[in-house]
Amino acid sequence: MGHGVPELVLELNGQTWTLDPSRSYTLGRDPQGDMVLEDARVSWRHATVRWGGHGWLIEDHGSTNGTYVQGQRVHQMEIGPGAAVHLGNATDGPRLNLSAAAPAAPAAPAADIYSAQTAMAPAVQPGQPPQQYQQPGAQGWGHQPPQQYQQHQQVPQQGGWQQPYAQQAAQPQGQAPGAGGGESPTRFHQVAVGRVMRIGRALDNDLVVSDLQVSRHHAEFRATPGGFEIVDLGSHNGTYVNGQPVRQQLIGPQDTVGVGHSTFRLVGDRLEEFVDTGDVSFSARHLTVTVDGGKQILKDVSFGVPEKSLIAVIGPSGSGKSTLLKALTGYRPANQGDVLYDNRNLYKQFAELRQRIGLVPQDDILHKELTVRKALRYAAKLRFPGDTAASEREARIDEVLRELKLDIHKDKKVTALSGGQRKRVSVALELLTKPSLIFLDEPTSGLDPGMDRDVMQLLRGLADDGRTVLVVTHSVAELALCDKLLVMAPGGSVAYFGPPEEALNFFGYETWADVFSAFENYRDYDWAGRWKGSQHYQMYAADIDAVAPQSVHVQPQVVRPPVPQSWGSQLWTLMRRYCSVIASDRGFLALMLLLPAVLGGVSTVIPSDYGLGAPAPRHFNQDAGTIMLILAVGACFSGAANSVRELIKERVIYERERAVGLSRSAYLMSKVVVLGAITAVQGVLICAIGFSVRKLPEHGVIIKALPAAELCLVIIALGFTSMMIGLVISSLVKTSEKTMPLLVMFAIVQVVFTGIMFKIYDSPGIEQVAWLMPSRWAIGAAGATLDLSHIMAPMDKNDPKNLDPLWEHSAGIWGLDMIALIAIGVVCGIAVARLLRRHEPEVMRK
């Protein structure tokens, strides 16, 4: 203590501190603070105690629930021995007692002791193998670990006081939120027998939940003589008991009821409400992923992080970073192990928890042709309940734009933004639903160092504002902004987890380049064993093993997880968005009009004395078949070209939207309807140009007076089926570059199997293969209209009466050809729907 400074001792939860006037002491729920309180009524950075020059001061930092001295809320006040301060509540909030104390000898700062001791550890030179990690008592650390580590291990764990980080993130999982985990209910509600308590977003509910994930009238708690039950009122995002969607379910004291971001628990005749405002822990326990052949690509990965933290995951190629991210988000659950979101099993409760988790993939999850505001508007329309008013959606969009400083760019197209700004828009899209946990995959990939820093500072701000953020990254330049660092070793095991500033010293190298070179040069080295034998493991990961398996007390009825919007509403929104995207791409619009015009125009250069009509007696019209061949191939090519890239270019967007409730069939149908309309217009254009200079037959077989319309229907149907085949190709390929060779191959194959170039019928093997080709049936229908069997030269000159049966000039054969043609398209649609399942979270593939 300095001369003349009154000595002050602060006591909290049985722990005491003799205050040093040369520094200030922070109080709150921030694990990095000096005095950590795990109480929901206490803010993240609640208050500070410091020497003010004339006396000791306590200063409130704008906390939500306030700081109280003698029952009065204060913002800054002088305190001294005998004073009592309550945090969060004037009567029963955590209490700080202050008293006088005898002078104590000053202690060296922990950081200085640690710096002096760790400086003695020799650095490993590049090219040398890593040294074995020194255990306590070995040379370099002496007989005790650094003092700052002792502090972490010695602080009491009662009352939610500061625990090692692994323990904070790994409370017993069988407990409900707020049960024994240090979290206090946000609100209490009395329930009585015979009373019905309605929950919803509207103000006329008994229990109003201000959350856009909640429907206006969402659910009811009913207190009946047989017990309490929860009844869903047809909500858009569903009501959950122990993480499972239910329509009506009896509940007991061990059950948790989820409604939006709120969780309810029944305690006697009182309903306790816990609101998820971001104060959630997150941990992975023994995650192991095994692929075909028994090879493990992720090996026993365990770590835990407290609430509102920024965690970076780094490692060389082949270290399992992407596999880990998929396991943590539920996209590809681990074969073994658990992922715990606020002590709840993510895999078992994915239907409910998926709304609270945001994921920003490496590729942008938005349509670059739209403006920022329009892209967010469509995303909000798909993700928020169907009864959300447009004004509510717009207010939330404006709020997110301001938070991420995108309001000045809201009317710009996404393509006009810089790489860092585009990444901000992707983050903004995820923030619409206020997730507590956000994952990002390589958000700084391809960005310059300045943008790299801006993105990492953005993520730091997201964590500080009340979210847990985990980022997989290549960049090591801004790791100091993170709270924790997870380093993956080759083979998918953990090589380090802890504070980023201690990582290089842990490995014994001076730069990350040296560390990654060591990973490459010593791939057989037991990096995981070195980590598990270290003091860092004991402090930051060992206690994850203490988490008990989760138990679900009631088996609720099996109900399909609801979707935020009805099928029809999703379809309408998706169609409008798709039309907006197409309308914004003028180059694509021009190509869609130019392609059929050129293909139709090419058919007009074929000379023909008779056009498509019947020739004079004793003559044949070979040109009719050639003309229809060109028109049919044009329809095949334009139809498939419309769709062959549509699914592959939106794959990342579909994966993310599907995870948050998008209907697969609505998404596919939106493509079919919009592209089908475009293909129909192209078919009309091809026919209008192709038939404009041709003589047509006098009668059709179905539309007697309009044979041109009959032929046009055939071309449109062929274009539609070809468009569906294009969707199959788009759902199969892994990159857009692979679509064009397949498109050309498809068009050439259709030319061969039309039946115009050579005899198809009565050719074993060839005829059966031709049944799978849409051009075969389309030319068959056109041949029935034109009576090609009689106006074309016979395929078999030895038997002129041996006619192609699919070209018979009758309504029955025309109908058969058209049904077969459309059936191929329908089968392709079913195939696409099945193939889309490969790009969904595995927990949803049921």
Side-chain angles (χ1 to χ4, degrees):
M1 283 286 180
H3 180 69
V5 176
E7 299 161 350
L8 194 67
V9 173
L10 186 149
E11 180 185 355
L12 176 65
N13 292 339
Q15 188 74 4
T16 59
W17 292 262
T18 300
L19 303 186
D20 183 349
S22 65
R23 56 164 297 191
S24 61
Y25 297 82
T26 59
L27 299 86
R29 289 184 292 110
D30 183 359
Q32 305 295 329
D34 299 295
M35 304 171 188
V36 183
L37 298 94
E38 292 295 333
D39 190 302
R41 295 169 294 181
V42 178
S43 296
W44 188 250
R45 292 183 176 88
H46 194 102
T48 298
V49 176
R50 61 183 175 86
W51 174 252
H54 300 286
W56 289 96
L57 300 175
I58 186 164
E59 181 179 356
D60 186 275
H61 290 307
S63 63
T64 302
N65 296 315
T67 301
Y68 300 86
V69 176
Q70 296 181 346
Q72 299 297 316
R73 185 164 183 168
V74 300
H75 296 285
Q76 180 173 314
M77 184 174 182
E78 187 170 317
I79 55 177
V85 179
H86 287 88
L87 304 179
N89 188 284
T91 56
D92 62 353
R95 175 171 171 168
L96 287 75
N97 296 312
L98 300 108
S99 60
D112 294 344
I113 295 175
Y114 176 68
S115 300
Q117 292 184 345
T118 55
M120 295 187 297
V124 178
Q125 298 300 320
Q128 294 182 357
Q131 300 176 1
Q132 182 61 35
Y133 190 84
Q134 299 295 330
Q135 297 298 323
Q139 181 181 2
W141 269 20
H143 295 284
Q144 296 293 332
Q147 181 176 339
Q148 73 173 38
Y149 294 158
Q150 297 179 43
Q151 289 176 342
H152 275 298
Q153 294 177 312
Q154 291 174 359
V155 287
Q157 299 177 14
Q158 297 178 354
W161 190 246
Q162 186 169 356
Q163 306 171 14
Y165 288 99
Q167 292 182 9
Q168 290 186 30
Q171 297 291 342
Q173 186 188 354
Q175 297 172 343
E183 183 181 350
S184 299
T186 308
R187 290 189 294 179
F188 301 97
H189 311 278
Q190 292 296 130
V191 292
V193 175
R195 183 184 176 190
V196 175
M197 182 182 295
R198 191 173 65 190
I199 306 172
R201 201 175 72 250
L203 296 178
D204 59 350
N205 290 285
D206 303 290
L207 207 163
V208 179
V209 179
S210 300
D211 181 359
L212 289 182
Q213 294 293 319
V214 176
S215 298
R216 296 185 64 82
H217 299 107
H218 194 104
E220 288 180 347
F221 276 107
R222 297 176 181 173
T224 66
F228 294 92
E229 66 177 1
I230 182 71
V231 179
D232 185 80
L233 300 178
S235 64
H236 296 274
N237 280 321
T239 302
Y240 300 83
V241 173
N242 299 325
Q244 304 302 314
V246 298
R247 293 193 180 95
Q248 185 169 348
Q249 180 73 43
L250 286 172
I251 57 174
Q254 299 301 318
D255 296 322
T256 59
V257 178
V259 174
H261 284 83
S262 296
T263 303
F264 299 89
R265 190 183 56 163
L266 192 65
V267 179
D269 61 348
R270 188 173 68 174
L271 193 66
E272 297 182 346
E273 178 184 2
F274 306 85
V275 179
D276 182 354
T277 58
D279 303 347
V280 297
S281 60
F282 182 77
S283 61
R285 183 178 56 164
H286 301 301
L287 297 183
T288 300
V289 174
T290 306
V291 295
D292 295 338
K295 180 181 179 182
Q296 290 185 344
I297 57 177
L298 202 66
K299 300 179 181 178
D300 196 25
V301 174
S302 296
F303 66 93
V305 294
E307 61 192 41
K308 301 182 180 179
S309 300
L310 174 59
I311 307 96
V313 180
I314 64 172
S317 298
S319 59
K321 299 189 300 295
S322 297
T323 302
L324 175 62
L325 188 64
K326 291 178 180 179
L328 294 176
T329 56
Y331 272 57
R332 202 290 188 191
N335 302 100
Q336 300 175 26
D338 298 313
V339 176
L340 307 179
Y341 173 97
D342 202 21
N343 306 321
R344 301 170 67 184
N345 192 301
L346 175 63
Y347 297 160
K348 294 180 181 178
Q349 303 187 22
F350 184 80
E352 177 185 358
L353 297 180
R354 65 180 181 175
Q355 300 290 348
R356 307 189 192 183
I357 297 176
L359 173 62
V360 181
Q362 183 173 349
D363 297 323
D364 294 326
I365 49 175
L366 39 86
H367 294 87
K368 298 182 177 66
E369 300 85 0
L370 302 178
T371 63
V372 172
R373 175 177 283 280
K374 188 171 287 188
L376 295 180
R377 187 174 290 158
Y378 283 121
K381 178 68 174 173
L382 288 171
R383 298 190 182 198
F384 289 149
D387 60 4
T388 306
S391 59
E392 293 177 294
R393 292 195 299 270
E394 291 297 321
R396 179 57 188 157
I397 291 171
D398 289 337
E399 184 180 349
V400 170
L401 289 173
R402 287 193 300 269
E403 180 179 359
L404 297 184
K405 298 179 175 59
L406 286 170
D407 45 343
I408 60 175
H409 303 295
K410 61 185 179 182
D411 295 321
K412 294 180 181 178
K413 284 190 175 183
V414 176
T415 51
L417 302 178
S418 66
Q421 291 167 345
R422 283 202 302 272
K423 193 58 62 178
R424 283 177 178 265
V425 178
S426 293
V427 174
L429 191 150
E430 291 300 310
L431 291 185
L432 288 173
T433 54
K434 297 185 178 180
S436 302
L437 183 62
I438 303 176
F439 293 94
L440 300 99
D441 186 11
E442 300 287 359
T444 60
S445 178
L447 303 183
D448 61 48
M451 290 184 179
D452 181 352
R453 180 180 58 192
D454 290 344
V455 170
M456 292 301 292
Q457 288 177 340
L458 165 68
L459 303 184
R460 176 71 265 171
L462 293 178
D464 292 339
D465 288 342
R467 306 171 183 92
T468 299
V469 183
L470 187 145
V471 53
V472 174
T473 180
H474 276 109
S475 176
V476 297
E478 304 297 333
L479 294 180
L481 293 172
C482 302
D483 298 301
K484 288 290 177 292
L485 176 64
L486 177 66
V487 182
M488 300 294 293
S493 58
V494 177
Y496 173 83
F497 178 74
E501 63 271 14
E502 299 173 19
L504 285 175
N505 184 74
F506 171 84
F507 287 107
Y509 291 100
E510 295 182 353
T511 67
W512 283 108
D514 295 334
V515 175
F516 278 46
S517 294
F519 282 149
E520 181 63 30
N521 296 333
Y522 307 101
R523 298 186 71 88
D524 295 332
Y525 184 81
D526 187 10
W527 296 101
R530 181 176 185 267
W531 155 244
K532 290 185 176 180
S534 68
Q535 279 286 338
H536 284 77
Y537 175 78
Q538 295 300 323
M539 288 182 295
Y540 301 120
D543 292 322
I544 292 295
D545 295 339
V547 180
Q550 185 182 21
S551 58
V552 178
H553 301 280
V554 177
Q555 183 64 40
Q557 57 195 111
V558 178
V559 179
R560 180 183 294 273
V563 293
Q565 299 280 336
S566 66
W567 188 90
S569 178
Q570 284 195 14
L571 176 62
W572 178 240
T573 301
L574 290 167
M575 288 171 55
R576 288 173 56 200
R577 183 177 70 179
Y578 193 22
C579 289
S580 296
V581 170
I582 293 175
S584 301
D585 191 346
R586 295 182 180 179
F588 182 63
L589 276 175
L591 181 62
M592 284 192 302
L593 294 176
L594 183 62
L595 183 62
V598 171
L599 294 173
V602 167
S603 70
T604 63
V605 303
I606 301 174
S608 175
D609 295 331
Y610 305 105
L612 296 173
R618 297 184 302 279
H619 291 277
F620 294 107
N621 183 2
Q622 189 66 35
D623 297 331
T626 304
I627 293 169
M628 287 308 305
L629 171 65
I630 298 300
L631 293 176
V633 171
C636 286
F637 191 84
S638 59
N642 289 338
S643 61
V644 76
R645 290 190 176 186
E646 290 307 300
L647 298 183
I648 180 63
K649 76 178 184 181
E650 290 187 357
R651 182 161 297 172
V652 177
I653 298 174
Y654 172 75
E655 288 177 354
R656 182 63 195 131
E657 291 183 340
R658 177 67 176 142
V660 294
L662 179 69
S663 166
R664 183 197 312 138
S665 58
Y667 175 77
L668 178 57
M669 188 57 66
S670 71
K671 297 293 184 185
V672 171
V673 172
V674 175
L675 290 175
I678 293 172
T679 302
V681 172
Q682 290 178 326
V684 172
L685 188 58
I686 288 175
C687 294
I689 296 175
F691 297 160
S692 62
V693 296
R694 304 297 183 189
K695 178 183 177 181
L696 296 173
E698 295 181 359
H699 303 288
V701 293
I702 296 295
I703 309 176
K704 298 291 186 180
L706 294 172
E710 193 170 290
L711 291 172
C712 191
L713 286 177
V714 173
I715 295 300
I716 290 173
L718 177 58
F720 174 83
T721 300
S722 299
M723 180 264 293
M724 297 302 296
I725 293 176
L727 289 177
V728 172
I729 295 173
S730 191
S731 63
L732 284 172
V733 298
K734 293 183 178 180
T735 62
S736 296
E737 290 74 16
K738 295 180 180 179
T739 58
M740 297 318 298
L742 293 174
L743 174 61
V744 174
M745 182 179 70
F746 166 72
I748 293 175
V749 169
Q750 299 311 303
V751 173
V752 174
F753 288 96
T754 55
I756 296 292
M757 299 181 66
F758 63 94
K759 178 182 174 182
I760 294 290
Y761 62 92
D762 285 344
S763 299
I766 295 178
E767 183 176 17
Q768 284 69 41
V769 172
W771 290 345
L772 303 176
M773 304 299 163
S775 62
R776 169 66 171 151
W777 300 101
I779 290 296
T785 299
L786 299 174
D787 195 13
L788 287 183
S789 296
H790 294 96
I791 69 173
M792 278 183 61
M795 290 291 180
D796 189 345
K797 301 196 181 295
N798 296 323
D799 186 6
K801 295 183 180 180
N802 188 6
L803 306 177
D804 192 325
L806 298 184
W807 293 359
E808 181 182 327
H809 189 63
S810 68
I813 293 298
W814 188 92
L816 173 65
D817 291 331
M818 290 293 285
I819 290 173
L821 177 60
I822 295 173
I824 293 174
V826 172
V827 171
C828 288
I830 296 173
V832 174
R834 299 292 295 177
L835 290 169
L836 282 174
R837 295 178 69 250
R838 302 184 307 163
H839 309 296
E840 300 172 2
E842 287 196 12
V843 293
M844 299 180 66
R845 301 180 195 175
K846 298 180 180 179

